[in-house]
Structures are given as C-alpha cells and as structure tokens.
Amino acid sequence: MVQTQTAPFGHWKSPLTAEGLATNSIMLNEVAVNESTGAIYSVECRPVEDGRAAIVEHRQNGQSKDVLPKDLSAFATVQEMGGGSIAMRPDGKLLLSDEKSCNIYLLDPESSQATLVRPAEKGIRYADFSTHPTNPRWVIAIKEDHREATPETQATHVHNTLVAIDLELDPQDPNKEITIARGDDFYSHPKFDPSGSDKTGFWQLYSYDPANSQTRVFKFHGLEHSDFAIAEWHVGECTFVSLDDKTIVATVITHATSKIVLVDTAACSAQELDLPYVDVDSITRVSATSFVVVGSSKTSPQELALVTFTPSFEVTRKILTSTASFELAPEFVSTAAEYTAPQKYGPLTDGEVYMFYFAPRNPDYQAEQGALPPLLTYVHGGPNGAVTPALSLDIQYWTTRGFAVCAVNYTGSVAFGREYRERLSGYWGLVDVGDAVSAVEFLADKGLIDRTRVGIYGGSAGGYLTLRALHMFPETWAAGISSYGISDVKALQADSYKFESQDVDRLLLCKTKPEDREAELKDRSPCYFAEQMKAPLLMLQGTEDMIVPIAQARMMAEAMHSKGRVAEVVEFEGSDEAEYGGPSGGRSLYHICQCPDI
C-alpha cells in the first residue's frame, strides 16, 4: 500500500504525462454503419500519424482493422472545421473526402481499394454526403468553392451549393454534377427527406407530413427546456436517428449534460436509457434495436460503443474503441460538481453563470492542513460552444497534479436555450469575461480555492476571453494560456473565413452605432491593452490556422514585449485550429500538456 505524501497543491506527481496523452490518444470524428453486415466504421484522427484521419472497421466479434489506404486521410475541410467526411452506401462501400486533395473516393472496405469517383478542382471541396436509398449511383453533397477567394476575401467570395453527383459517369464528364440549390450562405444535412425547424427557444424534435406539408413539434414532459441537437461546428454531426417507423433514439441535453432517450413518435413519449454518457457526439443506426454512440461519461473518456436494447428498455453496451489507449484508475478521477453563480461583473448582472468544478484528486498525495488549491479557469471556444461534465483528460492532467479546474459555461454558451445563447449578442468580450470573474469569486467565497493563485486558459474565442480577462481584471489572474486566441477583432473581421465571418457584427457590434464601430473594435481588442496586463502569458498557435491567423499571436506578443510584459509564443508548424477540435478546443490538450506548470 502506497503511503500518502504531503506536498503543496500543484506539485503532485501525476500518472498522466504530456507525452503519454499526445501519443496514446486518438480523436473520434465520425461513424458509419453497414446495416446488412453489422460492420461499424469510425474515423480516427491519429496524432502519431501527423493527424491523419484513418477509417477503422469494427466487427461485433471484437475484431477491428484499418481499411483506408495510408496515402488518404478521411477529413473533409468544408467550413474549415471539418466533418461530413464519410457516408455509407447501400452496397456497403464508403464515400469519403480526402483531406489533401479534396477528391471524392469510393472505398471498398473488404479490399481496402479506393476508387476516385470525383476529382476536385483546386479550390473545390465536398462534404456531408447523402446517398440515394435505392439508387447508389446518385449522391447529394455540399460543395464549397474557394476559387474566387483570397485570404482577404474568404468571408465573401467562398460559395456554397448543394450538388447531386452521378457516380456512374466518367469522373471528368461535366454532366456528372448537377447543382440543385444555390444562393444561401450555408447548407447542412442534405438528405432525400424533408426536416423541421426551431420555434420553441430550444432545439426540439419535429415531424413533417409530406402529404399535407404540416410540421408539428414533439412535446415531452420534463424536456421542454432541453435541446435535442448541438451547435453544428462540424458538418455531418448526428444527435438523433430513426430506428423504425415510430422509434427514434436521441440525445437530450439539459444544462450541458446529455442523456440518451428512446422516443416513441406514436405515443409522443421519451424513455431514458440506462447509459453513462453525459456528452454525446453522434448516434448512428445499426438495426431497429441497436445503435452506435460516440460519447463520454464522467469517469471515462470518449469511446465508440455498440448499444442494444430490449422491449423493456434493458440495455447492453459493448465498447468498440476508446480515444485513450490507457485507463486512468478511478481513484485518480475528479468528477464534476455543477454550480450556478450570480452574475456580479460585466455589463449584465441580472442573470446566472453556469460552471463545472473539478477538485484536485490524487490518492498518493495530500496538501498541508488548511491549504487551498490553485485554480485553473477553463473558458471554451465558439464563443457559442459549451463544456460538459464528461471526463476530460486535459482537465485530469491538472487535477491529478493538485490543481482545481473550473470549466465555465459563460453567457452565450449553447445547451442552455436560445435566450441564454443570444444574451451574448453585442457583449462579446464583456459579459463573458465578467462571468469568468464571477465564477472565480463564487468558488473563492465557498472556500474551495486559493483566490491569490488563479489562472485562465482557453482556445480560439476562449483564447480571446483569456486575453480580455488579463487586462480587464488584472488583479484576478496569476497567469494565462491562450491557444489560437484573438488579439485584434478588427483584423479577425478582415481575415475571417466564411463560416464565422459575421461573428464580429453579430456578437460584438450589433448594439454599436455605425459611427462608433471603429472605436468599439479597438476597445475590445486585447492587443491595445498590454500595459494593463500583469500576469505572464503563454500563447500557442498553429502556423497554418485559417480561422485565427498566426499574426494574431505575434501581434499580441509584440504589444506585451513593448510594455515590458512577460509573453511567449509557441508556434506549431503546419497546424491549424480545425485540427485541434475547433470551438471545443479538442486537441489543444496536447499543446497545453507540453507547457510547464504555471
């Protein structure tokens, strides 16, 4: 039996290492199922293969194998964030978009033979495929055209359309592709069936009757203020699917915590299944009584699992693969405690701030009697993203070392309804920063943390929030880490890619008079306030980031150095934000873990 050692918080030896997390983890992107054979296919992004997206076949007997040739990577780059990269055809073959060439290939999993079916011209990208249910020669896809765009015009000169592609014509035949919809800025989930819309303030389920063109919302008691969908940062995500003509398996999200339910559309009822997942990324049908889920629980990282249920709702769960090739012993796991704090800082003080608190946990150590732990405040990206109570190994990296972590779902976060989400409009970089400080003060007042040792970190919009917090409330923070954060919002507006090109107007300027726009952009840009920053700052940035260009980090570092402040930029050659999980900051874990403890 190992004797417990006494050591200061933040100085405990952890079983989690930066090298181990970087080399022994994968990222699960998408899932497709061959219902005729029961074979399940997952897209696995592998750091040890330079981020290549492999396709793995999982058989229900527990066997698995790679089926995608090594020279291909199944990662579509529509909307920069990725997603919608693969689709199953009725004949058991997989359509996929290759990351580098953007070509469309047809993969035979049995032979691992990939056939080019649609070469992409330079500047053309495809994603989110839907194959015809009875005639596999036809596929619908999103087409994104960058041929007229430059780095300065990517917000306005990228064109999205829906196209139908005839896979049986010669790949070079101009008649192979037919445009079926154009004129809108974005398209998603193209299917051969109609769908509904959001009218209640929450993302609810609807049914559509093509006979009379009428739509109705499903109303489930107790779930009126829950969401059945997530923010679609990535193309092709699926949170519900029909199992038969009257049964839907769906994810229900309440205050950023998920559960899986079976919906009886005839009875308009929902039955929760006994599954541990509190964060669900996708659900894919296998049969009328089984489905595949990508999800994570409070005690286990993201995994791919096959779920089967009986008429009495008893479930059997078989784990096919996990994103981590190692297991963190239960006694080391810090589980989330959910708290709600009053807003005390910022322009809005009439609402609430939501957070998950992870206490330090390591059975081999204890702190000195009466000592309080330092706090790391995690602020997610988006900013219309969210953080969940699911096990996150980057959070456990810190808690096993004796740090407390507070993950804040500040105003504007999804999974709390439209009203909370839209409260951020006009106040980006103001109310979210105040919420982070309100969360810290709440935990300090409860005696859970040492208020003199508080850090803040986040990626993208979370990086922007970090930079804003360091100069708006300099006395609160002892250090900050910004991963691909925004330092100049005017430059972001000029450089932004199409999908997020309206964020500055929508979230920051919508309450600003036209004559005051220039001044407001400067007032909300951290690079102009380096002198007010007292805490040391570390910035992590990919050199090929199209979402937040590397110039943003370099600009911030130069501003801080000119004022005699401590700032360092670590650049990652060839990396971009989409590789690291977009708004949720997924793979930024590997960056943060390789930095010295603060």
Side-chain angles (χ1 to χ4, degrees), residues 145-168:
D145 189 341
H146 291 247
R147 290 175 296 182
E148 296 180 5
T150 66
E152 294 74 29
T153 64
Q154 59 178 325
T156 56
H157 287 62
V158 173
H159 307 294
N160 291 60
T161 56
L162 284 183
V163 296
I165 302 171
D166 187 343
L167 299 180
E168 293 190 4

Side-chain angles (χ1 to χ4, degrees), residues 14-89:
S14 169
L16 296 176
T17 65
E19 294 76 16
L21 291 176
T23 58
N24 296 318
S25 300
I26 60 170
M27 187 175 180
L28 287 172
N29 287 353
E30 302 170 48
V31 178
V33 173
N34 184 341
E35 295 185 18
S36 63
T37 64
I40 298 163
Y41 299 88
S42 63
V43 177
E44 296 184 357
C45 194
R46 296 172 174 170
V48 294
E49 296 183 30
D50 295 326
R52 173 178 172 264
I55 299 178
V56 180
E57 178 185 272
H58 305 272
R59 292 286 179 172
Q60 297 186 27
N61 61 8
Q63 295 181 344
S64 62
K65 65 175 183 178
D66 280 23
V67 295
L68 185 67
K70 294 284 188 180
D71 60 337
L72 297 178
S73 177
F75 187 83
T77 55
V78 165
Q79 297 178 187
E80 308 296 343
M81 295 290 189
S85 307
I86 66 171
M88 176 62 64
R89 294 208 322 176

Side-chain angles (χ1 to χ4, degrees), residues 118-172:
R118 184 57 170 166
E121 296 180 50
K122 186 176 181 180
I124 298 294
R125 308 174 185 181
Y126 297 96
D128 212 0
F129 309 107
S130 176
T131 61
H132 194 281
T134 60
N135 189 350
R137 70 181 292 175
W138 286 103
V139 59
I140 299 174
I142 300 172
K143 179 181 180 180
E144 191 170 79
D145 189 341
H146 291 247
R147 290 175 296 182
E148 296 180 5
T150 66
E152 294 74 29
T153 64
Q154 59 178 325
T156 56
H157 287 62
V158 173
H159 307 294
N160 291 60
T161 56
L162 284 183
V163 296
I165 302 171
D166 187 343
L167 299 180
E168 293 190 4
L169 289 180
D170 183 277
Q172 306 297 336

